[in-house]
Amino acid sequence: MDWLIWNGSIETFDPILGRVEALGISGGRVVAAGTFAEVDARSTVETVRQDLSGRTVLPGFIDTHMHLEKASHEFTMLRLEHARSVAEVLQSVAGRARIIAPGGWIRCFADNAAWNEANLAEGRLPTAEELDSVSPDVAVYLYRRPDRAVINSVGARAMTDKLADFGIESYDPETGYLFGAAVRVVNDAIYVLGMNDTRHRLDILANACQKLLTMGITSVADPGLAGAFDSAWDLYTKLRSEHRLPQRIRLMNRFDWRRPFDTEYARVLGSSALPGTGDDRLAAWSLKLLLDGEFVNAWMRDGEGEPYPHYTVDELERVLRLCADRDWPICIHAMGGGAIGAILDAVRTLGDDRPQHISIAHAFHLDVLDIQACAELGIRISVNPPLAYVYSNEMRAAWGPLAARTMPLASMKALGFRFAAGSDTHPADPMVGAQIAVTRRAWDGSSIGAHEALDPRTALEMYTRDAGDYLGMPDLGTLAVGSIADLVCWSADPLAVEVSTWHELTPEWVAIDGTIVYDTTHTSDLQRISS
């Protein structure tokens, strides 16, 4: 053994092993687990012995739905949730303006629903004139999703062609306020501008990967952005060649539903890397198909709302057959019960000719029969607790009482169905996502489906053992003998403290493939660990 870890609480999340006293690691794998005496019997004089001093070790977290490149840009944005006046917002903008060169953009983070003009004493967003007073030379775009934003004069000039498409009801040049669809159009256009600077993209992606380590995230399934697989694959490949990509990455090739189906089908087949390309650290993994929209545009069941399919049943079956023929995984976005039903019908139609690895992302409106059918057909599920936390108001507006039934976590657990979890939006911290699954609380403190709350252990299993199963990697997400040695040391045991404190927990060190890649205790300075 290269490394012996002992004198703490080691939760393997293996149903047979459970908790063990000691762990032995060699060649990036767990080679021994049990009592200290049992594991120490495998050691040699060269084995590094690490005393946990009562700390807790868990498998590394796996986020099965994180748009990592998008998140990397968001991590660089202003945080305004603590601002309580327009003056405080302007102070934050002024501070950022001093360090951003002309040509750049000052943007704010909005996806956690905390940033809102209702939090400010004035009850309004700052105006373009006020933003100009503190940032006359740098473009400012404060995005308060999903339907409101403000842009300063420099930014408005840069976005002239986009803003020209909207009338006064969507963009008021006097105040700089944007409303409705214009908000998203401008936001996406600014994002595209940043795609032209590869070095900048690499640097902020590398910084984002380091931030994920501070959350204990060791693996990510990235659903990709619409029609943008080749660019993302190239970025990940370059970052890995620079030895700045610590996490395991599984990148999906996502169809752009806004383009003709045949055009996207041909693009996928001509991609620079097809599913299966790569290795256990960086791989092109799955095709991604958005079968319906989000919230008001979900494909609901008859009697529950209007259906909003992005693809026909024939197109869905065509992609399923492609994946079956080539032995590719497929992940299908489905929010409404109608979309889920269409997937189940299509898979049944294909029978034994269906793909071996089919997963549904979100699956907000699963019912008991759907859960049983997914189990029977071998369909995997990835849920997103942060979406319910952030978009609770949008869900209630779109679905009324049905919103309380979104993500039937407790029902799936009761039926013995294993499911994974991913973030999709912020907060991207798995410990926070698990906390949301247990509390079923939204950003404003309201309850959304408390009857579907999970127990703490299952909430953590969504991001570990069951996430590995979701990816088709049973040797990932546990610390059983033979498993990949991705592990995280925590100063406190999450399963022994109040769930309400989970968001305060941070790792002391993180190891991937048995090598420490993040360390707040300088543990790695004392170790010789084989990689």
Side-chain angles (χ1 to χ4, degrees):
M1 288 188 307
D2 300 308
W3 190 15
L4 189 157
I5 305 171
W6 68 291
N7 194 26
S9 179
I10 301 171
E11 174 55 72
T12 68
F13 282 115
D14 178 81
I16 298 175
L17 272 178
R19 296 216 169 202
V20 296
E21 296 178 0
L23 210 63
I25 293 170
S26 183
R29 296 267 175 173
V30 176
V31 296
T35 66
F36 173 75
E38 290 169 339
V39 177
D40 189 47
R42 297 280 305 276
S43 66
T44 70
V45 293
E46 294 187 349
T47 298
V48 175
R49 290 167 174 78
Q50 181 171 347
D51 187 342
L52 292 174
S53 300
R55 296 176 178 85
T56 296
V57 166
L58 304 180
F61 285 141
I62 305 164
D63 190 313
T64 57
H65 195 121
M66 176 184 284
H67 300 275
L68 179 51
E69 186 182 357
K70 174 176 174 286
S72 71
H73 290 266
E74 292 164 342
F75 286 144
T76 69
M77 296 178 183
L78 286 179
R79 301 296 298 252
L80 299 175
E81 59 261 42
H82 301 298
R84 291 297 177 264
S85 68
V86 168
E88 291 182 10
V89 172
L90 296 177
Q91 184 179 15
S92 294
V93 172
R96 186 62 63 91
R98 287 192 287 269
I99 61 174
I100 298 253
W105 282 83
I106 298 172
R107 301 166 67 192
C108 68
F109 182 85
D111 272 357
N112 64 354
W115 154 238
N116 193 299
E117 65 271 25
N119 294 338
L120 307 181
E122 297 83 354
R124 63 169 176 83
L125 299 175
T127 65
E129 182 179 4
E130 289 169 330
L131 293 174
D132 290 344
S133 70
V134 295
S135 184
D137 302 315
V138 179
V140 182
Y141 185 68
L142 302 185
Y143 173 43
R144 199 278 285 155
R145 65 178 303 146
D147 59 354
R148 187 160 300 179
V150 58
I151 192 167
N152 75 340
S153 298
V154 179
R157 288 194 293 272
M159 290 287 120
T160 298
D161 59 330
K162 300 297 181 184
L163 295 173
D165 295 335
F166 296 97
I168 188 68
E169 72 282 356
S170 296
Y171 170 58
D172 180 0
E174 291 296 319
T175 60
Y177 291 168
L178 291 90
F179 306 93
V183 174
R184 193 69 171 263
V185 168
V186 172
N187 192 66
D188 290 350
I190 297 171
Y191 176 78
V192 170
L193 287 175
M195 300 290 280
N196 297 324
D197 187 342
T198 300
R199 176 47 51 190
H200 176 65
R201 291 170 64 202
L202 287 167
D203 288 344
I204 64 172
L205 181 58
N207 290 337
C209 289
Q210 291 301 309
K211 186 171 183 65
L212 297 191
L213 292 177
T214 70
M215 306 174 190
I217 298 175
T218 55
S219 296
V220 170
D222 186 340
L225 300 176
F229 173 84
D230 286 352
S231 173
W233 178 254
D234 182 59
L235 196 70
Y236 281 129
T237 301
K238 287 179 178 175
L239 195 66
R240 187 184 186 188
S241 71
E242 296 177 0
H243 306 289
R244 295 198 293 166
L245 185 65
Q247 281 84 12
R248 302 178 192 280
I249 303 293
R250 296 290 178 269
L251 179 63
M252 303 185 202
N253 196 334
R254 174 174 159 184
F255 279 68
D256 187 344
W257 65 269
R258 297 164 298 187
R259 303 179 68 195
F261 174 79
D262 287 337
T263 301
E264 278 297 279
Y265 192 92
R267 180 194 61 77
V268 165
L269 292 178
S271 296
S272 57
L274 297 175
T277 304
D279 54 31
D280 68 336
R281 293 299 289 265
L282 174 61
W285 183 54
S286 171
L287 297 191
K288 177 71 182 293
L289 195 74
L290 271 68
L291 190 55
D292 65 351
E294 300 174 342
F295 312 128
V296 295
N297 294 318
W299 180 354
M300 305 300 286
R301 291 185 175 89
D302 291 342
E304 293 182 347
E306 294 297 322
Y308 290 94
H310 288 330
Y311 295 97
T312 67
V313 171
D314 287 343
E315 289 168 342
L316 171 60
E317 290 183 4
R318 187 174 168 189
V319 177
L320 285 168
R321 287 193 176 92
L322 171 67
C323 291
D325 291 343
R326 302 205 177 196
D327 196 24
W328 291 349
I330 179 169
C331 176
I332 307 171
H333 164 118
M335 283 206 172
I340 294 166
I343 294 169
L344 296 175
D345 289 343
V347 173
R348 289 189 183 104
T349 297
L350 268 62
D352 293 339
D353 293 330
R354 63 180 181 267
Q356 294 301 303
H357 195 293
I358 305 170
S359 62
I360 301 178
H362 312 307
F364 274 3
H365 291 282
L366 283 167
D367 62 21
V368 170
L369 294 179
D370 295 332
I371 298 168
Q372 293 172 335
C374 287
E376 174 190 346
L377 297 170
I379 296 175
R380 296 165 165 90
I381 300 292
S382 172
V383 299
N384 310 103
L387 282 181
Y389 175 84
V390 172
Y391 294 106
S392 54
N393 289 344
E394 287 80 0
M395 290 179 179
R396 292 182 181 114
W399 301 326
L402 293 177
R405 290 167 44 192
T406 57
M407 291 189 301
L409 306 181
S411 295
M412 287 192 283
K413 168 69 174 179
L415 291 170
F417 187 85
R418 295 173 62 184
F419 49 95
S423 54
D424 193 27
T425 188
H426 301 274
D429 188 335
M431 199 67 83
V432 177
Q435 183 182 49
I436 294 167
V438 175
T439 65
R440 298 290 295 210
R441 293 287 177 183
W443 66 276
D444 59 359
S446 64
S447 174
I448 183 161
H451 63 289
E452 289 290 357
L454 275 184
D455 64 277
R457 174 174 290 276
T458 304
L460 293 177
E461 287 176 342
M462 294 191 303
Y463 289 98
T464 53
R465 180 176 74 102
D466 294 335
D469 179 74
Y470 172 85
L471 294 177
M473 300 180 66
D475 56 351
L476 189 67
T478 80
L479 297 177
V481 174
S483 293
I484 295 170
D486 293 355
L487 55 155
V488 180
C489 178
W490 303 84
S491 58
D493 181 356
L495 294 174
V497 301
E498 290 294 328
V499 172
S500 61
T501 67
W502 278 7
H503 65 282
E504 302 171 359
L505 301 179
T506 56
E508 295 206 347
W509 52 260
V510 178
I512 297 178
D513 274 339
T515 297
I516 290 181
V517 294
Y518 170 79
D519 185 16
T520 65
T521 64
H522 306 294
T523 296
S524 56
D525 293 341
L526 307 175
Q527 296 184 0
R528 181 193 61 77
I529 304 170
S530 171
S531 60

